[in-house]
Amino acid sequence: MRSDLKDQVDRFADDVTSTLQAVLGEKDVELQATMLDERFTVSTPEPSGITLCVDRKPLLRLAVKFECGWDSQDEFVAVDTAEFHVFTLRDREALFRYEFVRNMRSPIPCAHLQIHGHRDALAYAMTRAGKRTTRSKRRADGAPPRMDELHFPLGGARFRPALEDVLQMLVEEFGVDAVDGWRKHLAQGRERWRRIQTRAVVRDAPDEAVATLRALGYLVTEPEGEVLDANIKRLQSI
């Protein structure tokens, strides 16, 4: 494994740590990077997560975990999985979970939200689910349904929520304690995230990017033949 992967992962862990500290004001919060086979895990020190307070009284816990490795070209660090789990102080089962699996090998959306709760109307609909797909058939024929079995899609690999989105929801909706200026910091972090994802989308659909730029008045010169094909193949694999 090239040594600079660890350097990139360490910088990534520092960036996430800075975001958490800038919003929550907890200077002792520091994500740890741990080597796992050919990849690294970046996570909150305790599996139970960090404590979130309301009016300085503990209310919730937030567990953050990423698994990172090289992209397909061994050039840049890529996030293979991301998990943002929110718990109450006493429960081991999460209230809700934001999760992303880069190479999902099942019909579950690669970026999704799961809510742990119960509502009679939703359970009623789930017990009468159709049998068109493996998952719906399993729920129709199996045990009483649970709300957390539903995976709500969240924009796929390119448009999935960032940690900044989850933190804003916790502060806005639950009133979690945050330091002055937290909105500005989250806005800056979200802007960085969106620009990174914009570059990825351009790699996915270069023809659309070229057409849009030309419509805006830019002059775009395309490489020819094998050079164009090779560049597209290389970039789309990142």
Side-chain angles (χ1 to χ4, degrees), residues 1-11 33 40 70:
M1 177 182 293
R2 283 165 38 191
S3 61
D4 55 344
L5 174 58
K6 184 179 187 306
D7 294 338
Q8 290 194 37
V9 171
D10 285 341
R11 287 196 296 271
F40 281 86
W70 284 121

Side-chain angles (χ1 to χ4, degrees), residues 42 44 52 60-67 79-87 93-102 104 108-116 147-148 150-156 159-174 190 193-194:
V42 176
T44 43
L52 307 179
L60 300 171
R61 291 178 290 116
L62 170 65
V64 176
K65 180 181 178 181
F66 300 90
E67 289 187 2
V79 173
D80 294 320
T81 68
E83 299 177 358
F84 313 139
H85 294 186
V86 177
F87 306 82
E93 184 177 14
L95 290 173
F96 50 88
R97 299 183 285 161
Y98 291 82
E99 296 184 346
F100 166 69
V101 180
R102 186 183 184 197
M104 181 66 77
I108 296 173
C110 67
H112 58 262
L113 166 68
Q114 290 171 266
I115 302 172
H116 294 244
M147 191 170 177
D148 60 280
L150 296 176
H151 296 74
F152 296 89
L154 292 177
F159 301 103
R160 68 188 190 272
L163 176 60
E164 286 82 356
D165 299 312
V166 178
L167 288 172
Q168 181 166 0
M169 187 276 290
L170 290 169
V171 177
E172 296 282 10
E173 300 295 337
F174 289 93
R190 187 179 291 110
W193 166 255
R194 298 292 183 255

